[in-house]
Amino acid sequence: MDKVMRMSSERGVVIFTKSSCCLCYAVQILFRDLRVQPTIYEIDTDPDCREIEKALLRIGCSTAVPAVFVGGKLVGSTNEVMSLHLSGSLVPLIRPYQSLPY
Amino acid sequence: MNSTSTHFVPPRRVGIYEPLHQFGMWGDTFKSNISNEGDMNMTPSHIIIANNQKLDNNLSEGTSHGTGGTPHMFDQEASTSRHPDKIQRRLAQNREAAKKSRLRKKAYVQQLETSRLKLIHLEQELDRARQQGFYVGNGIDTNSLGISEPMNPGIAAFEMEYGHWIQEQNKQICELRTVLQGQVSDVELRLLVETAMKHYFDLFRMKSAAAKADVFFVMSGMWRTSAERFFLWIGGFRPSDLLKVLLPHFDVMTDQQILDVCNLRQSCQQAEDALSQGMEKLQHTLADCVAGGRLGEGSYIPQVNSAMERLEALVSFVNQADHLRHETLQQMHRILTTRQAARGLLALGEYFQRLRALSSSWTTRHREST
């Protein structure tokens, strides 16, 4: 879906969330802890919410939200983010985008 | 023709069972047997008592000695003497019915025996489980008000599975301890480590299924002992605690290992904090939801569907917490050598055993002081 392609290929860390989703909130907290300011798209406020959800699932996200993209590439949902982080592979991935102060 | 009432049969004729109860079980079938014959002289009110060999003999005696021999079996002489072949047929029917009744009784008694044995076995298992100091439900769930709720089959299955899991866990810990005290090949040790890791992963899988059945049950930790519950974090142990328990037990570690472990501790803590904050947000939003509308007017939650959705989210949190536990164990396994991993798993297993033993001591101490 064009909209998703466009939004996800923005620079840096992009996260698709829903305002009611607390796991999405947890993922945002994690990135903030890692000194990254991600771009957040709350899809439930978007009129195309259903299509966006379907598109995210089609791209390969295990759950539609949270859907995390880094540098235009899909990282995955909460599971994938947590696994990457514990294996030490997340930080190198987001290092170019660590903009927040310590 | 023959009118007999249940009251005329003394209890000893029907053995150890309450006569009335027994006839309630078998009496109706006799009625249907008899009414099926379409015999003009039989009325539905005639119930033949025929579940006793003695009775059978009486019937045959009755035919040989004439109808007057057993007054409580035969009514009027007139009807029987007129139709001898009908008598024969009726006697045969009685014998048949008696035989069927005996067979049914035998089956019933066998069923009772099997159930009795099962019950004894279950009680023994229950005692054993209680001795091991972990919570075992009594088959009926009670909420805090002591009101019984029907037991969720998914949860009942989980509690049973968990009991077996603990037994298997204890066996594995014993084996690890024995093996590490002696000489053991790396190959054999690796197998034990893999088995132990898989055992933890099995638990997470079980918990995932249980969370779908009743997430509050998993979250409450009621399936764990009291001391374990004290340290509960989203339905299980804290991954960062796991690392804290394990780390002092490793002998020499390479620089790379020290660095890796340090990074793992930090990332584990960050992930844990993120999930904790997500949980807090969930609590706040649920509280807002429940308190929505106007309180004090006796009305229910205005947006109950949204409240239910929040509760559904709890399942995801429990799964995420278990995923974190899984990944932490996995990373430790990657960083450590086989021997270190074996020692670590032994230490971890014993740590939880001690917690369970502590709960047990606490419970018995509590009992003694009252």
Side-chain angles (χ1 to χ4, degrees):
Chain A
M1 187 192 166
D2 286 341
K3 200 168 183 176
V4 170
M5 290 289 118
R6 194 177 15 97
M7 294 195 285
S8 64
S9 52
E10 284 182 27
R11 201 184 172 273
V13 179
V14 176
I15 312 182
F16 291 87
T17 67
K18 278 193 189 161
S19 53
S20 55
C21 173
C22 294
L23 265 183
C24 298
Y25 180 73
V27 167
Q28 289 177 55
I29 295 287
L30 180 63
F31 278 106
R32 201 185 60 193
D33 253 359
L34 301 178
R35 297 172 41 230
V36 169
Q37 180 105 5
T39 312
I40 310 289
Y41 286 115
E42 268 184 6
I43 68 171
D44 52 343
T45 54
D46 194 304
D48 296 320
C49 180
R50 284 270 159 77
E51 271 84 66
I52 298 177
E53 259 192 85
K54 278 193 233 156
L56 288 171
L57 288 168
R58 250 199 318 268
I59 295 175
C61 213
S62 44
T63 53
V65 291
V68 177
F69 291 79
V70 176
K73 284 189 26 218
L74 175 70
V75 165
S77 194
T78 327
N79 261 11
E80 289 75 32
V81 170
M82 294 296 181
S83 302
L84 266 182
H85 190 42
L86 257 65
S87 67
S89 312
L90 187 63
V91 169
L93 206 61
I94 59 167
R95 209 184 303 273
Y97 315 111
Q98 284 177 310
S99 56
L100 297 175
Y102 278 101
Chain B
M1 160 194 102
N2 305 320
S3 95
T4 335
S5 137
T6 59
H7 306 298
F8 290 152
V9 179
R12 60 181 163 82
R13 285 183 170 264
V14 297
I16 60 169
Y17 300 100
E18 232 354 276
L20 287 175
H21 166 72
Q22 187 164 49
F23 299 134
M25 284 193 67
W26 289 286
D28 288 345
T29 10
F30 295 144
K31 274 193 206 155
S32 56
N33 276 345
I34 292 154
S35 47
N36 284 340
E37 300 305 307
D39 192 315
M40 289 181 297
N41 285 338
M42 292 298 292
T43 69
S45 61
H46 297 163
I47 299 173
I48 308 295
I49 296 93
N51 54 5
N52 191 316
Q53 194 61 47
K54 279 197 203 147
L55 258 48
D56 239 8
N57 292 338
N58 279 341
L59 288 170
S60 11
E61 271 176 70
T63 51
S64 51
H65 293 126
T67 56
T70 46
H72 63 279
M73 289 303 291
F74 299 100
D75 204 351
Q76 306 294 324
E77 290 181 17
S79 45
T80 55
S81 53
R82 235 178 273 148
H83 306 276
D85 50 350
K86 286 223 169 82
I87 298 170
Q88 288 304 318
R89 190 149 41 112
R90 196 143 313 116
L91 291 173
Q93 287 165 11
N94 287 354
R95 277 194 290 277
E96 259 317 300
K99 185 176 169 191
K100 282 188 193 158
S101 169
R102 279 196 300 278
L103 289 174
R104 264 195 299 272
K105 172 174 160 183
K106 192 174 175 189
Y108 178 64
V109 170
Q110 275 177 353
Q111 233 183 41
L112 282 180
E113 281 299 309
T114 331
S115 302
R116 193 174 135 265
L117 288 173
K118 228 195 235 179
L119 189 66
I120 292 172
H121 177 71
L122 280 173
E123 280 177 341
Q124 283 175 348
E125 266 199 51
L126 209 61
D127 273 329
R128 228 178 300 137
R130 285 214 179 96
Q131 274 168 26
Q132 285 179 22
F134 66 89
Y135 174 82
V136 179
N138 59 2
I140 298 179
D141 240 357
T142 52
N143 58 22
S144 57
L145 299 174
I147 297 167
S148 299
E149 292 163 359
M151 196 62 164
N152 185 326
I155 296 302
F158 172 72
E159 282 197 300
M160 231 176 60
E161 268 188 299
Y162 183 66
H164 295 145
W165 189 90
I166 291 286
Q167 284 178 342
E168 181 59 33
Q169 178 78 338
N170 290 338
K171 264 191 235 154
Q172 288 182 4
I173 291 169
C174 230
E175 200 176 352
L176 268 174
R177 198 183 302 127
T178 315
V179 145
L180 283 171
Q181 277 166 358
Q183 298 282 41
V184 60
S185 69
D186 250 21
V187 170
E188 194 188 337
L189 207 54
R190 195 172 310 140
L191 189 62
L192 287 174
V193 166
E194 297 296 325
T195 311
M197 296 283 286
K198 188 182 171 296
H199 199 55
Y200 279 110
F201 300 160
D202 279 343
L203 178 62
F204 301 144
R205 192 190 28 85
M206 282 159 52
K207 282 170 71 183
S208 180
K212 284 203 194 88
D214 183 355
V215 69
F216 286 117
F217 180 80
V218 177
M219 289 277 301
S220 71
M222 286 312 289
W223 46 286
R224 287 207 131 117
T225 60
S226 31
E228 287 175 296
R229 251 178 276 144
F230 179 61
F231 295 99
L232 209 69
W233 176 79
I234 314 186
F237 61 83
R238 269 180 193 278
S240 52
D241 277 353
L242 184 161
L243 294 175
K244 275 190 214 125
V245 164
L246 291 190
L247 285 177
H249 291 89
F250 300 130
D251 40 19
V252 182
M253 291 214 295
T254 66
D255 285 345
Q256 183 62 47
Q257 280 183 321
I258 294 173
L259 182 65
D260 284 343
V261 166
C262 212
N263 288 334
L264 180 62
R265 278 190 89 162
Q266 188 181 40
S267 48
C268 186
Q269 192 65 57
Q270 286 166 333
E272 218 175 277
D273 288 343
L275 279 186
S276 294
Q277 293 198 48
M279 274 294 278
E280 268 184 46
K281 178 150 202 277
L282 185 60
Q283 281 185 330
H284 289 153
T285 51
L286 182 62
D288 284 344
C289 210
V290 171
R294 296 167 68 89
L295 285 170
E297 287 178 356
S299 59
Y300 196 52
I301 301 173
Q303 304 211 304
V304 67
N305 285 334
S306 125
M308 297 286 266
E309 266 174 43
R310 306 262 180 251
L311 294 182
E312 292 285 343
L314 260 181
V315 180
S316 320
F317 268 94
V318 171
N319 286 337
Q320 272 310 307
D322 275 346
H323 178 70
L324 205 60
R325 292 173 189 117
H326 180 123
E327 290 300 299
T328 308
L329 282 170
Q330 196 83 288
Q331 289 303 316
M332 281 302 279
H333 182 224
R334 181 185 65 84
I335 295 170
L336 300 172
T337 65
T338 310
R339 197 157 289 264
Q340 287 171 327
R343 257 186 252 283
L345 285 164
L346 174 59
L348 187 67
E350 274 199 23
Y351 176 73
F352 287 119
Q353 271 183 338
R354 284 190 187 180
L355 275 182
R356 288 194 283 273
L358 180 63
S359 305
S360 188
S361 306
W362 180 254
T363 313
T364 30
R365 171 200 171 117
H366 212 62
R367 248 186 257 142
E368 280 164 29
S369 62
T370 48

